[in-house]
Amino acid sequence: MKPLLLPLLFLVALLAACGSVPDDESLEVVPAPAPMSSTATDLRLAEMQVLLSELLDRLEVMNSRIQRLEAGASPAPAPLPAAEPQPRVTTAPGTATTRPVRVTPPAPAAIGDRYREAITLFGRGRIDDARAAFTSIIDGDPSGDLADNALYWIGETHFVQANYTESIAIYRRLIADYGEQNKAPDAMLKMGLAYARLGDLAMARTTFLDLVQRYPYSTPAATARHELEKLKY
């Protein structure tokens, strides 16, 4: 019987070792992270592009302030308190007048937050909501540093919806009211592009030439020179 003792001891040791290994059910399985969907990636990319646009706008505002200080311009007077907006009354055809709806523009301290919100709405394709938000910024602080930016983006909301005539009117207003601000060259460039989209190449050419003459060292002026080379009658 002694020759069988050694294999028997080996078998007992093997069974004991197997018993010390935990069952499969006790092992914690860490699932691999699910890959980000293409939709989520596109949304994140859009939000980053909107954030970049906002940062560029703020940089332009700061550069404009520095230029005014270097030129020795006196600071703009504080805006007078905005008049209380009149209630807006909406009526449906064939019905009695509904209760007035009061639209309150944001307080000056909240202008920056409203501007970021409006930029985000534009980036997400909520164009009508973005236009309303930008409009409230101008109503709340028409002399503020972001007024020309807000007016420019109102023009952009019309441009992206192919309402080129409306966008031209907004860009023209910006150039007239904020001609010395940072968004005036951009507005003139987009006005020329809007004329081109409408097929009015003569006005597009005139607008681009005017841009190059009034703001010769701006980035939009460089783009306008390129557009002038592409225009053909």
Side-chain angles (χ1 to χ4, degrees), residues 14-38:
L14 180 61
L15 291 176
C18 293
S20 64
V21 178
D23 296 336
D24 292 341
E25 296 179 356
S26 63
L27 293 177
E28 181 180 359
V29 179
V30 180
M36 183 176 292
S37 65
S38 58

Short mmCIF file of all heavy atoms in Angstrom, two decimals, residues 14-38:
data_model
loop_
_atom_site.label_atom_id
_atom_site.label_comp_id
_atom_site.label_asym_id
_atom_site.label_seq_id
_atom_site.Cartn_x
_atom_site.Cartn_y
_atom_site.Cartn_z
N LEU A 14 -3.58 19.04 -3.76
CA LEU A 14 -4.17 19.73 -4.91
C LEU A 14 -5.58 20.18 -4.62
O LEU A 14 -5.99 21.29 -4.96
CB LEU A 14 -4.13 18.79 -6.13
CG LEU A 14 -4.70 19.37 -7.43
CD1 LEU A 14 -3.91 20.60 -7.85
CD2 LEU A 14 -4.66 18.31 -8.52
N LEU A 15 -6.38 19.31 -3.95
CA LEU A 15 -7.75 19.69 -3.61
C LEU A 15 -7.78 20.84 -2.62
O LEU A 15 -8.64 21.73 -2.69
CB LEU A 15 -8.49 18.47 -3.02
CG LEU A 15 -8.77 17.33 -4.02
CD1 LEU A 15 -9.41 16.14 -3.29
CD2 LEU A 15 -9.69 17.81 -5.14
N ALA A 16 -6.86 20.86 -1.68
CA ALA A 16 -6.81 21.95 -0.71
C ALA A 16 -6.47 23.27 -1.39
O ALA A 16 -7.02 24.32 -1.05
CB ALA A 16 -5.77 21.62 0.38
N ALA A 17 -5.55 23.21 -2.34
CA ALA A 17 -5.21 24.43 -3.07
C ALA A 17 -6.37 24.96 -3.87
O ALA A 17 -6.63 26.15 -3.94
CB ALA A 17 -3.99 24.17 -3.97
N CYS A 18 -7.12 24.07 -4.50
CA CYS A 18 -8.30 24.49 -5.28
C CYS A 18 -9.34 25.10 -4.37
O CYS A 18 -10.08 26.01 -4.75
CB CYS A 18 -8.88 23.30 -6.05
SG CYS A 18 -7.78 22.69 -7.35
N GLY A 19 -9.47 24.59 -3.16
CA GLY A 19 -10.48 25.13 -2.26
C GLY A 19 -10.17 26.52 -1.81
O GLY A 19 -11.06 27.25 -1.36
N SER A 20 -8.90 26.92 -1.87
CA SER A 20 -8.54 28.28 -1.44
C SER A 20 -8.80 29.33 -2.49
O SER A 20 -8.71 30.52 -2.23
CB SER A 20 -7.06 28.32 -1.06
OG SER A 20 -6.26 28.04 -2.21
N VAL A 21 -9.11 28.93 -3.73
CA VAL A 21 -9.39 29.89 -4.80
C VAL A 21 -10.83 30.33 -4.70
O VAL A 21 -11.74 29.50 -4.60
CB VAL A 21 -9.14 29.24 -6.18
CG1 VAL A 21 -9.47 30.23 -7.29
CG2 VAL A 21 -7.69 28.78 -6.28
N PRO A 22 -11.14 31.65 -4.70
CA PRO A 22 -12.53 32.11 -4.57
C PRO A 22 -13.35 31.71 -5.77
O PRO A 22 -12.84 31.53 -6.87
CB PRO A 22 -12.37 33.64 -4.48
CG PRO A 22 -11.06 33.93 -5.13
CD PRO A 22 -10.20 32.76 -4.83
N ASP A 23 -14.64 31.54 -5.53
CA ASP A 23 -15.58 31.21 -6.61
C ASP A 23 -15.65 32.36 -7.60
O ASP A 23 -15.35 33.51 -7.29
CB ASP A 23 -16.97 30.93 -6.04
CG ASP A 23 -16.94 29.70 -5.13
OD1 ASP A 23 -16.02 28.87 -5.32
OD2 ASP A 23 -17.81 29.62 -4.25
N ASP A 24 -16.13 32.04 -8.80
CA ASP A 24 -16.28 33.06 -9.83
C ASP A 24 -17.24 34.15 -9.40
O ASP A 24 -17.12 35.31 -9.78
CB ASP A 24 -16.76 32.42 -11.15
CG ASP A 24 -15.67 31.53 -11.73
OD1 ASP A 24 -14.50 31.71 -11.33
OD2 ASP A 24 -16.00 30.68 -12.56
N GLU A 25 -18.26 33.76 -8.58
CA GLU A 25 -19.28 34.73 -8.20
C GLU A 25 -18.72 35.79 -7.27
O GLU A 25 -19.25 36.88 -7.15
CB GLU A 25 -20.46 34.02 -7.54
CG GLU A 25 -21.19 33.06 -8.48
CD GLU A 25 -22.34 32.37 -7.78
OE1 GLU A 25 -22.49 32.58 -6.56
OE2 GLU A 25 -23.08 31.64 -8.46
N SER A 26 -17.61 35.44 -6.53
CA SER A 26 -17.05 36.40 -5.59
C SER A 26 -16.08 37.36 -6.24
O SER A 26 -15.62 38.31 -5.62
CB SER A 26 -16.31 35.66 -4.45
OG SER A 26 -15.21 34.93 -4.99
N LEU A 27 -15.72 37.11 -7.50
CA LEU A 27 -14.81 38.01 -8.19
C LEU A 27 -15.56 39.24 -8.66
O LEU A 27 -16.65 39.14 -9.25
CB LEU A 27 -14.20 37.29 -9.41
CG LEU A 27 -13.25 36.12 -9.09
CD1 LEU A 27 -12.79 35.48 -10.39
CD2 LEU A 27 -12.07 36.61 -8.27
N GLU A 28 -14.99 40.43 -8.42
CA GLU A 28 -15.63 41.68 -8.84
C GLU A 28 -15.23 41.98 -10.27
O GLU A 28 -14.04 42.09 -10.59
CB GLU A 28 -15.18 42.83 -7.92
CG GLU A 28 -15.83 44.15 -8.30
CD GLU A 28 -15.38 45.27 -7.38
OE1 GLU A 28 -14.58 44.98 -6.46
OE2 GLU A 28 -15.82 46.41 -7.59
N VAL A 29 -16.20 42.11 -11.13
CA VAL A 29 -15.95 42.38 -12.53
C VAL A 29 -16.16 43.85 -12.77
O VAL A 29 -17.26 44.38 -12.56
CB VAL A 29 -16.88 41.54 -13.43
CG1 VAL A 29 -16.61 41.86 -14.90
CG2 VAL A 29 -16.69 40.06 -13.14
N VAL A 30 -15.13 44.55 -13.18
CA VAL A 30 -15.21 45.99 -13.44
C VAL A 30 -15.56 46.18 -14.91
O VAL A 30 -14.78 45.82 -15.79
CB VAL A 30 -13.87 46.69 -13.13
CG1 VAL A 30 -13.99 48.17 -13.42
CG2 VAL A 30 -13.49 46.42 -11.68
N PRO A 31 -16.74 46.70 -15.18
CA PRO A 31 -17.12 46.87 -16.60
C PRO A 31 -16.26 47.94 -17.26
O PRO A 31 -15.87 48.92 -16.63
CB PRO A 31 -18.59 47.31 -16.51
CG PRO A 31 -18.71 47.93 -15.15
CD PRO A 31 -17.77 47.16 -14.26
N ALA A 32 -15.99 47.73 -18.52
CA ALA A 32 -15.21 48.72 -19.27
C ALA A 32 -16.09 49.94 -19.53
O ALA A 32 -17.30 49.82 -19.73
CB ALA A 32 -14.75 48.11 -20.61
N PRO A 33 -15.50 51.12 -19.47
CA PRO A 33 -16.30 52.33 -19.73
C PRO A 33 -16.88 52.31 -21.12
O PRO A 33 -16.21 51.96 -22.09
CB PRO A 33 -15.27 53.47 -19.55
CG PRO A 33 -13.94 52.82 -19.77
CD PRO A 33 -14.09 51.42 -19.26
N ALA A 34 -18.17 52.69 -21.19
CA ALA A 34 -18.85 52.69 -22.48
C ALA A 34 -18.30 53.81 -23.34
O ALA A 34 -18.05 54.92 -22.85
CB ALA A 34 -20.36 52.89 -22.27
N PRO A 35 -18.06 53.53 -24.60
CA PRO A 35 -17.54 54.60 -25.47
C PRO A 35 -18.56 55.71 -25.64
O PRO A 35 -19.76 55.48 -25.64
CB PRO A 35 -17.29 53.85 -26.80
CG PRO A 35 -18.19 52.67 -26.74
CD PRO A 35 -18.29 52.28 -25.30
N MET A 36 -18.05 56.95 -25.71
CA MET A 36 -18.94 58.10 -25.87
C MET A 36 -19.57 58.05 -27.25
O MET A 36 -18.89 57.83 -28.25
CB MET A 36 -18.15 59.40 -25.69
CG MET A 36 -19.01 60.65 -25.77
SD MET A 36 -18.04 62.15 -25.43
CE MET A 36 -17.67 61.90 -23.71
N SER A 37 -20.88 58.27 -27.31
CA SER A 37 -21.58 58.23 -28.59
C SER A 37 -21.18 59.43 -29.44
O SER A 37 -20.70 60.44 -28.94
CB SER A 37 -23.09 58.24 -28.35
OG SER A 37 -23.50 59.45 -27.74
N SER A 38 -21.40 59.30 -30.73
CA SER A 38 -21.05 60.39 -31.64
C SER A 38 -21.89 61.62 -31.36
O SER A 38 -21.42 62.75 -31.52
CB SER A 38 -21.25 59.93 -33.09
OG SER A 38 -22.59 59.52 -33.30
#
